[in-house]
Amino acid sequence: TPEHIRADFAAAIRGAAVVTTEISQLALDTVCEVLDIARQAGVQTVLDVDVPPDFCVDIAKLGSRAQLDDALALADIIKPAKSAASQLTDAGTPEGQAEALMKRYGARLVAITDGGDGSVATDGQTTLRAPAHTINVVDTTGAGDAFLGGLIAGVYHDCPLEVTANIANACAAACCTIVGAFPVLGQSRADAMRLYGADFPFDMPVEPPPPVDTSGHAGMQVIRQEIAALQVVAELLDPHAMDAAAALVAGTQESGGRTHVTGVGKCRHIGHKIAATLQSTGTVAYFLEPLDATHGDSGQVCAGDVV
């Protein structure tokens, strides 16, 4: 809550070089409190808009549209996902959306991730598109956060707009080449710089210590057992059914429809995760609460959607 922020985190916020928060899970009044404390202290603020306004306000009920506008106006740097940018403005292209967001909210920099088409960034004087890298995509989990990390690094080190955008793209691409959002610090850093095409134009952190031998740890044995179980799952799944499901979601997205993920019990938690992953990778997706659906929430599904 805003009270928690003021009581427990205000000093840390005021002492930061950059403060970043997001439109995703936190209540909007809490987000505004974080950004307002930073703004009053002269600290540069970054807002990662992970979800579109209709999900934020109407589905997740994180706050009002007015509070969402307040948060956007308090951010020096706005980084909306593609689905969020398309709802925040009437512009038909990411370039136009970035320029419209900057003009409406007075930001210093707006960067929009555009999936396989790279990203778009504007500082009010120059608007540019940084192309995506050609890579072997393993897992897109965390790519938006990796992009944000590269963006913040470029801004913090006063890099030119084009350099900052290309660093951010390289970090996102490197994230997509590994499983999960857990970089192998030395290797992932090297991969990001290789994709960027040169060493980053600022000092890098000290190398982490060598990995600890975990072979005898019980916790690691559990993880290895889970890996073995996933190998069994991979052999049992019908790849044609998976391809058909993916094609159905992609076709629905292309025709302007939305994807709804549902599930009961433990599958409910998995469903929320799948919906969040689809959102963060550019597919308009929502979680459909199955029990509430029988009491009217099925109204969130429209003709042309897929469940």
Side-chain angles (χ1 to χ4, degrees), residues 79 111-113 118-120 142-152 165 168-169 171-172:
K79 195 234 81 175
I112 299 174
T113 50
S119 63
V120 168
D145 293 323
F147 177 93
L148 183 68
L151 187 77
I152 292 173
N169 269 17
C171 291

Side-chain angles (χ1 to χ4, degrees), residues 52-102:
D54 65 352
F55 180 86
C56 169
V57 175
D58 301 326
I59 307 297
K61 301 188 185 305
L62 300 177
S64 67
R65 181 57 192 258
Q67 288 175 316
L68 176 60
D69 286 334
D70 288 344
L72 288 159
L74 285 166
D76 296 313
I77 298 165
I78 303 173
K79 195 234 81 175
K82 185 177 181 179
S83 58
S86 64
Q87 284 191 17
L88 286 167
T89 78
D90 295 327
T93 65
E95 288 84 353
Q97 292 163 359
E99 292 169 357
L101 287 171
M102 171 161 279

Side-chain angles (χ1 to χ4, degrees), residues 240-286:
H240 300 294
M242 294 185 68
D243 289 346
L248 183 60
V249 171
T252 300
Q253 173 83 353
E254 290 172 3
S255 61
R258 305 171 302 171
T259 296
H260 306 266
V261 186
T262 190
V264 178
K266 297 298 183 291
C267 295
R268 177 180 181 275
H269 301 293
I270 301 300
H272 273 290
K273 172 63 175 69
I274 293 172
T277 299
L278 288 170
Q279 291 164 9
S280 68
T281 53
T283 298
V284 181
Y286 305 93

Side-chain angles (χ1 to χ4, degrees), residues 11-307:
I13 292 169
R14 294 188 184 103
V18 179
V19 167
T20 178
T21 184
E22 64 180 10
I23 305 296
S24 174
Q25 300 178 63
L26 292 173
L28 294 181
D29 57 354
T30 301
V31 172
C32 289
E33 188 68 26
V34 171
L35 296 173
D36 187 50
I37 292 172
R39 173 65 68 90
Q40 292 187 37
V43 177
Q44 191 158 223
T45 53
V46 182
L47 185 61
D48 185 8
V49 189
D50 255 352
V51 297
D54 65 352
F55 180 86
C56 169
V57 175
D58 301 326
I59 307 297
K61 301 188 185 305
L62 300 177
S64 67
R65 181 57 192 258
Q67 288 175 316
L68 176 60
D69 286 334
D70 288 344
L72 288 159
L74 285 166
D76 296 313
I77 298 165
I78 303 173
K79 195 234 81 175
K82 185 177 181 179
S83 58
S86 64
Q87 284 191 17
L88 286 167
T89 78
D90 295 327
T93 65
E95 288 84 353
Q97 292 163 359
E99 292 169 357
L101 287 171
M102 171 161 279
K103 183 177 180 181
R104 177 182 301 175
Y105 295 108
R108 298 177 192 168
L109 188 152
V110 176
I112 299 174
T113 50
D114 197 16
D117 292 324
S119 63
V120 168
T122 184
D123 59 5
Q125 299 180 7
T126 303
T127 300
L128 58 85
R129 177 176 287 274
H133 295 278
T134 302
I135 56 171
N136 178 30
V137 176
V138 174
D139 185 354
T140 59
T141 304
D145 293 323
F147 177 93
L148 183 68
L151 187 77
I152 292 173
V155 168
Y156 175 76
H157 291 286
D158 294 320
C159 296
L161 180 66
E162 183 174 7
V163 171
T164 297
N166 284 325
I167 289 173
N169 269 17
C171 291
C175 180
C176 292
T177 63
I178 58 174
V179 175
F182 299 95
V184 182
L185 289 181
Q187 184 59 51
S188 293
R189 185 179 69 184
D191 288 344
M193 287 193 288
R194 174 179 54 79
L195 291 163
Y196 173 67
D199 289 345
F200 291 150
F202 43 77
D203 292 336
M204 299 298 293
V206 176
E207 278 290 328
V212 177
D213 179 13
T214 60
S215 57
H217 291 258
M220 298 307 296
Q221 293 297 332
V222 172
I223 293 176
R224 291 189 178 92
Q225 289 171 4
E226 291 175 345
I227 292 171
L230 285 173
Q231 294 287 357
V232 175
V233 171
E235 295 172 4
L236 295 176
L237 287 174
D238 179 354
H240 300 294
M242 294 185 68
D243 289 346
L248 183 60
V249 171
T252 300
Q253 173 83 353
E254 290 172 3
S255 61
R258 305 171 302 171
T259 296
H260 306 266
V261 186
T262 190
V264 178
K266 297 298 183 291
C267 295
R268 177 180 181 275
H269 301 293
I270 301 300
H272 273 290
K273 172 63 175 69
I274 293 172
T277 299
L278 288 170
Q279 291 164 9
S280 68
T281 53
T283 298
V284 181
Y286 305 93
F287 182 77
L288 176 63
E289 188 68 61
L291 302 182
D292 290 343
T294 64
H295 298 278
D297 281 11
S298 56
Q300 82 178 54
V301 183
C302 301
D305 290 357
V306 61
V307 179

